[in-house]
Amino acid sequence: MASVKSSRSRVHAVTQSKGINKDTGPKLEENLNVFKSDNFDADAFVQSKCLSLNEKEIRQLCSYLLELKRASAEEMRRSVYANYTAFIRTSKEISDLEGELSSMKNLLSTQATLIHGLAEGVHIDSLSDVVPESTSDSSPTADVREPSDLEKWLTEFPDHLDVLLAERRVDEALLSLDEGERVASDAKEKKTLGHAVLLSLQTAIAERRQKLADQLAEIACQPSTRGAELRAAISALKKLGDGPRAHSLLLNAHYQKYQFNMKNLRPSSTSYGGAYTAALSQLVFSGIAQAATDSLAIFGKEPAYTSELVMWSTKQTEAFALLVKRHALTSSAAAGGLRAAAECVQIALGHCSLLEARGLALCPVLLKLFRPSVEQALDANLKRIEESTAALAAADDWELTYPPSVTRTSGRSAGAVPGSTGAYQHKLSSSAHRFNLMVQDFFEDVGPLLSMQLGGKALEGLFQVFNTYVNTLVRALPGSMEEEASYEDSGNKIVRMAETEAQQIALLANASLLADELLPRAAMKLAPLANQKDDLQRRASDRQSRHPEQREWKKRLVNSVDRLKDSFCQQHALDLIFTEEGDSHLTAEMYINMEGNADDMEWSPSLIFQELYVKLNRMAAIAADMFVGRERFAMLLLMRLTETVILWLSQDQSFWDDIEEGPRPLGHLGLQQFYLDMKFVTCFASQGRYLSRNLLRVVNDIISKAMSAFAATGMDPYSVLPEDEWFTEIAQDAMEKLSGKPKVANGERDLNSPTASVSAQSMSSVRSHGSY
């Protein structure tokens, strides 16, 4: 049978590998007909299919089958847990039904005894049937014989039991009842007693047994009954055959005990939630633990009693969780006290986990009930970070400083990042310092978030808060106020404007340092090693599953910073290209209207590109101080700004309409000036190490379009353009004059530049372009 099942699994895998899926409809139904035959040979079928598979496909098939096996085991585990409560409830109902049936049987037996006795007209207390009928017919002169030992025992038995019950001598009463049961059984088997006397004996035993059971139940219900006395009463009641009632009384006794002790536990609005949770946990879970111990000692591992214990423990745990939520969690969660809420949850889980040694896994019950409160605390905490940071941004001077040396209550410096030796080297503005500090505090309390599988929600919430902070930084850029309405929740928030270039670059320093280093490093607490109880395979699986989520989260942070970077570059590009009145500094007329003799002109790059070079140099100097150790970000920023200006030129349709189809054609002087401007851009970008392949491609495309426009006039552009060295020398002279630095020796570029190999092709690729 196992072979058939495994073979059918392999068939399924093979059909999957052949492209059969759930959507093949009637075709799939036809293919399944082969399996319905009584003569179906599973092994032969699989072998016939596998003949067409190579070694790699067979390995993939085996891997697929192993994955199916793991998925099947996981599905079975989930199914068992999903239906476990229903199973326990059904078992309890069956146990109760068995108890009721037993009681009905005893009642019917007693009633049958009474009815039978009345039908024969015999008094219950008559013992005359003991004398054989043959002796009653003897001569009247016969001597009255002495009663036998059995007759004496039958006469004294009820009174003796009553005395034992009155004196609460339980053990002796149990022995007497057992003796009575034995005598009645022997008499019934050997027929040594008359029917009426036997019924009288059985009735006496049943009545005293019930009386003893009621007496034991009364003892178990007394608040003063503790420990050994309680266990003895429950054990005696179980011996009487009333196990379900005995087990219920045992659980109720432990419940009443810890309920009585809880009367002295009075929470108040000023009490410490952790202390209340610890005291309540001690009472409740120690009570459950003692009940489990007593249940196992008296009733063993019988499923009916074990199920009732699990249901009772679950009910007590749920009641405990409601008390903790009402008196400790709700207030702290509403106020955003994630640490206080987390501490309460950790205390409760710590006490609850001790029950696992007794076979009671109740932590999932607590986690399910505590999760909404912890989520509320998480949301409130994130909201507090957002509001506090926004309040500081309204007064932030956007000056970068080292973190304040204020010691937190946890003993860690305000600017320190756990696990980082260079934490004190980071410079941020006041609002960013506050944001970072609150995030570090936030990740101090991630323990319960992991156990409740809220790590993803925490990361998502923190990303949204960071994204809101980036929106604030975007609105701090001059000229962005008209776009305020495009950002959600920005209507009621005020932010101090970053007026100078240094302040504006500080905005980028804030966002990039948080996104690249501080936040991802703090978030690593959400991906700890697995618990020591887990095996090595589980640990490896957890790390592999969490790290991709961390990487994706960091990527989203960086993308948010890119939005700020784009706004920064667009704003500066617009300031460079347009005047305050909206007129453009970069028009086609500046090239079309050039006239005169090329040899008599004093060549230099156009003013707008000189200003671009000066701006980039100024920003590079500022960034060198702000991005210590993160020079790549500064280089990418300058690269993005240069690309933004050149892309604007490339996409300005009115500029190219004038160049290509305007009333005046582009002359040789204008072409030479345009070529010089583009050569100047590639030269200073290459020297500054921010000449990207994309920028070089756009510059080449622009030059090609200009040369095509010139060629449309019927002239050869190569015949009017000087050699490449001439443009390089003019560009180098301009850079030397604008920066005050000597040009590179012999007019050569810095060969150590990472973009030198790219820029070396900048103009030669254009000059070697095809025909126009």
Side-chain angles (χ1 to χ4, degrees), residues 595-603 668-669 672 720-722 726:
E595 296 178 352
N597 190 342
D599 296 333
D600 297 335
M601 297 183 63
E602 213 174 291
W603 292 96
H668 69 280
L669 295 179
Q672 187 170 337
V720 298
L721 291 177
W726 182 85

Side-chain angles (χ1 to χ4, degrees), residues 680-755:
F680 179 62
V681 170
T682 57
C683 283
F684 69 66
S686 177
Q687 182 178 344
R689 298 172 183 257
Y690 45 86
L691 177 62
S692 66
R693 293 183 181 275
N694 182 54
L695 175 61
L696 184 59
R697 178 185 60 78
V698 175
V699 168
N700 289 342
D701 290 344
I702 290 175
I703 293 177
S704 296
K705 290 176 69 175
M707 295 178 73
S708 296
F710 181 80
T713 63
M715 299 181 63
D716 181 10
Y718 297 108
S719 64
V720 298
L721 291 177
E723 293 298 324
D724 221 24
E725 290 75 11
W726 182 85
F727 293 102
T728 300
E729 184 176 355
I730 298 296
Q732 292 289 349
D733 289 341
M735 287 189 287
E736 177 184 0
K737 183 184 303 182
L738 294 172
S739 64
K741 298 178 182 179
K743 63 182 178 180
V744 180
N746 301 323
E748 296 294 333
R749 292 180 293 274
D750 182 7
L751 296 180
N752 293 324
S753 170
T755 56

Side-chain angles (χ1 to χ4, degrees), residues 172-473:
E172 295 179 47
L174 287 172
L175 293 174
S176 296
L177 287 171
D178 290 341
E179 183 183 4
E181 292 282 1
R182 186 171 59 256
V183 170
S185 178
D186 291 343
K188 184 177 181 180
E189 182 180 351
K190 299 177 181 178
K191 299 183 179 180
T192 56
L193 291 178
H195 186 70
V197 176
L198 181 59
L199 289 177
S200 176
L201 176 59
Q202 291 174 338
T203 301
I205 292 173
E207 289 177 350
R208 271 67 179 184
R209 181 181 294 275
Q210 185 62 45
K211 186 175 181 180
L212 178 59
D214 293 340
Q215 191 178 96
L216 291 171
E218 182 181 356
I219 293 173
C221 292
Q222 293 294 328
S224 58
T225 305
R226 304 289 178 88
E229 184 181 2
L230 174 63
R231 288 189 290 273
I234 297 300
S235 180
L237 188 57
K238 178 178 180 291
K239 291 177 181 178
L240 288 173
D242 202 356
R245 183 186 183 191
H247 195 256
S248 298
L249 287 172
L250 173 67
L251 299 180
N252 185 66
H254 284 289
Y255 170 75
Q256 296 296 336
K257 177 182 175 181
Y258 80 71
Q259 284 290 320
F260 178 80
N261 293 333
M262 282 173 55
K263 292 180 180 179
N264 298 325
L265 192 60
R266 298 292 184 184
S268 65
S269 58
T270 58
S271 65
Y272 170 52
Y276 172 77
T277 304
L280 186 62
S281 299
Q282 176 67 28
L283 288 176
V284 174
F285 293 116
S286 62
I288 295 177
Q290 188 59 52
T293 301
D294 291 348
S295 175
L296 180 62
I298 299 173
F299 298 92
K301 296 183 179 180
E302 191 171 339
Y305 302 124
T306 303
S307 298
E308 184 181 16
L309 174 64
V310 172
M311 290 190 65
W312 177 82
S313 302
T314 302
K315 182 178 180 181
Q316 307 313 311
T317 303
E318 291 172 348
F320 160 80
L322 291 177
L323 286 175
V324 172
K325 288 174 66 176
R326 182 184 307 154
H327 299 297
L329 277 182
T330 302
S331 57
S332 59
L338 182 59
R339 178 169 297 172
E343 185 172 358
C344 290
V345 173
Q346 291 288 58
I347 290 172
L349 291 176
H351 284 86
C352 185
S353 63
L354 298 177
L355 296 176
E356 294 181 2
R358 293 174 169 82
L360 295 174
L362 299 174
C363 287
V365 177
L366 281 183
L367 291 175
K368 179 180 178 181
L369 295 172
F370 285 156
R371 183 184 176 101
S373 295
V374 176
E375 284 183 336
Q376 183 184 8
L378 172 63
D379 294 338
N381 198 274
L382 293 171
K383 188 68 175 178
R384 188 177 63 196
I385 295 176
E386 177 182 332
E387 293 176 349
S388 178
T389 306
L392 279 177
D396 200 331
D397 58 6
W398 308 119
E399 295 292 334
L400 301 187
T401 60
Y402 289 109
S405 57
V406 179
T407 303
R408 295 177 48 227
T409 55
S410 62
R412 179 166 57 84
S413 171
V417 177
S420 174
T421 57
Y424 292 94
Q425 301 302 316
H426 299 313
K427 294 174 69 174
L428 297 168
S429 70
S430 59
S431 63
H433 275 307
R434 180 62 176 171
F435 184 88
N436 179 46
L437 174 62
M438 297 185 75
V439 168
Q440 303 305 323
D441 283 340
F442 173 81
F443 281 111
E444 290 291 326
D445 313 313
V446 297
L449 301 183
L450 291 175
S451 59
M452 286 184 240
Q453 298 181 346
L454 288 174
K457 181 178 176 64
L459 287 178
E460 178 61 28
L462 190 58
F463 168 74
Q464 295 300 334
V465 173
F466 177 75
N467 199 48
T468 301
Y469 182 59
V470 171
N471 289 343
T472 301
L473 299 181

